[in-house]
Amino acid sequence: MTKMLGAGEPPTVLLLIEAEVLCEPEARTQEAVDLDRPLRGCFVTGTDTEVGKTVITAGLLHALARQGLRVAGYKPVAAGAVWQAAASGPGGHWHNDDVEALLAASNIALTHSEVCPCLLEEACAPHLAARLEGGRIEPAVLIAGAHRLMRRCDALVVEGVGGFCVPLVETDVPNADDAAQDAAASPATDTGWGADDLAVALDLPVILVVGLRLGCINHALLTAEAVTARGLRLAGWVANRIEPTMPHAQLNIDTLSRALQQRHDAPLLGVVSHHAPATPARVADELRSDAVIDALGLQD
């Protein structure tokens, strides 16, 4: 049993077969997509959760739109949703702040389920939220959703969930029959499948968001190593001042600038101040738009 999150009716308990995809109903389309066609844009990851990935992703969308590009934000998985009834009459939709931010920052018309095909109610690690809701995350749906959006835009900005290595599909399955079914239905293997595997499947250059706080140097360098170890290109990084009173913030930025440039050829793409509110336009003002375009190969 699970609560299927989608547009339309408020949550009801529905039967869910074990192979069912946990996603919004309108995202379950059978139309063919060309998975071999390369994606253009970037995959935004962070040193941890709550480091401002959504704020930076929205800012990147705004900055690229300023350059005349058609841009779409994509949050394949989001955990933490609240039902919002319609202002008048029946109906409503499931609300998640990250999804709403990317929807608003995109400059092409998108539906909620196009921005986020897998929206989970529980605000916890996605694989745990899926388990609590009695379902599973289907990797094939997440990958196909990105390729569908790419047909309608010049650049796709994908926001990961949590840190780079957050699990999405659990390794433990109830029995051998289920394991065989899962292996046939999705790219996940018996070692599990996570946000890093999603990044590999999409094969986009990665932008790392570093939340400036104590410990960020170690977290940033470890994440950068994890990104390159998976065969992905670290295109650059953004310093986000999530703690405005952090001591020696500039010294931390200087250290990371040298290390990430020398080890990964990853330039600093912007230092984002602590804003309240942090609007996409204000964030875009502090990004080096030309450097972003160059790092992502979007010149033509």
Side-chain angles (χ1 to χ4, degrees), residues 17-196:
I17 60 172
E18 289 163 351
E20 182 100 46
V21 171
L22 194 64
C23 65
E24 293 194 31
E26 63 185 279
R28 296 187 209 169
T29 175
Q30 300 300 315
E31 65 175 302
V33 291
D34 182 4
L35 299 181
D36 294 325
R37 184 178 180 181
L39 301 176
R40 284 165 52 93
C42 63
F43 185 95
V44 180
T45 192
T47 46
D48 200 351
T49 190
E50 300 299 327
V51 296
K53 291 190 306 298
T54 302
V55 166
I56 302 304
T57 300
L60 285 165
L61 286 164
H62 199 83
L64 294 175
R66 284 178 176 175
Q67 301 299 310
L69 297 173
R70 296 173 303 154
V71 294
Y74 187 53
K75 177 84 173 179
V77 180
V82 177
W83 177 258
Q84 282 195 346
S88 60
H93 73 280
W94 284 95
H95 176 93
N96 173 274
D97 288 342
D98 294 355
V99 175
E100 297 294 338
L102 299 196
L103 187 66
S106 302
N107 66 354
I108 64 173
L110 298 170
T111 66
H112 286 85
S113 62
E114 285 177 319
V115 173
C116 180
C118 182
L119 181 57
L120 300 156
E121 184 175 4
E122 293 290 332
C124 60
H127 72 294
L128 298 179
R131 182 204 297 173
L132 291 170
E133 295 176 26
R136 57 161 286 149
I137 294 169
E138 177 51 65
V141 170
L142 310 185
I143 296 166
H147 283 271
R148 268 187 210 99
L149 283 184
M150 190 73 253
R151 296 187 303 198
R152 299 170 50 199
C153 64
D154 302 311
L156 183 67
V157 183
V158 181
E159 182 190 346
V161 56
F164 184 64
C165 296
V166 168
L168 299 177
V169 179
E170 294 190 279
T171 58
D172 53 327
V173 291
N175 55 56
D177 289 339
D178 289 338
Q181 186 178 36
D182 289 344
S186 77
T189 70
D190 58 1
T191 59
W193 201 83
D196 52 336

Side-chain angles (χ1 to χ4, degrees), residues 138-284:
E138 177 51 65
V141 170
L142 310 185
I143 296 166
H147 283 271
R148 268 187 210 99
L149 283 184
M150 190 73 253
R151 296 187 303 198
R152 299 170 50 199
C153 64
D154 302 311
L156 183 67
V157 183
V158 181
E159 182 190 346
V161 56
F164 184 64
C165 296
V166 168
L168 299 177
V169 179
E170 294 190 279
T171 58
D172 53 327
V173 291
N175 55 56
D177 289 339
D178 289 338
Q181 186 178 36
D182 289 344
S186 77
T189 70
D190 58 1
T191 59
W193 201 83
D196 52 336
D197 296 290
L198 175 60
V200 170
L202 300 181
D203 195 26
L204 287 165
V206 177
I207 291 180
L208 173 61
V209 177
V210 178
L212 294 180
R213 59 188 178 202
L214 187 63
C216 66
I217 293 177
N218 180 58
H219 292 160
L221 296 181
L222 286 174
T223 304
E225 291 293 338
V227 169
T228 56
R230 296 305 311 271
L232 295 169
R233 180 171 69 89
L234 185 62
W237 68 287
V238 176
N240 188 23
R241 299 204 61 167
I242 56 176
E243 292 186 1
T245 60
M246 177 191 180
H248 316 301
Q250 187 58 52
L251 294 178
N252 280 260
I253 294 171
D254 294 342
T255 296
L256 278 173
S257 291
R258 289 190 295 269
L260 292 174
Q261 186 70 57
Q262 292 169 4
R263 299 183 191 185
H264 304 285
D265 194 26
L268 175 62
L269 301 177
V271 178
V272 176
S273 305
H274 186 271
H275 296 296
T279 65
R282 296 177 75 175
V283 172

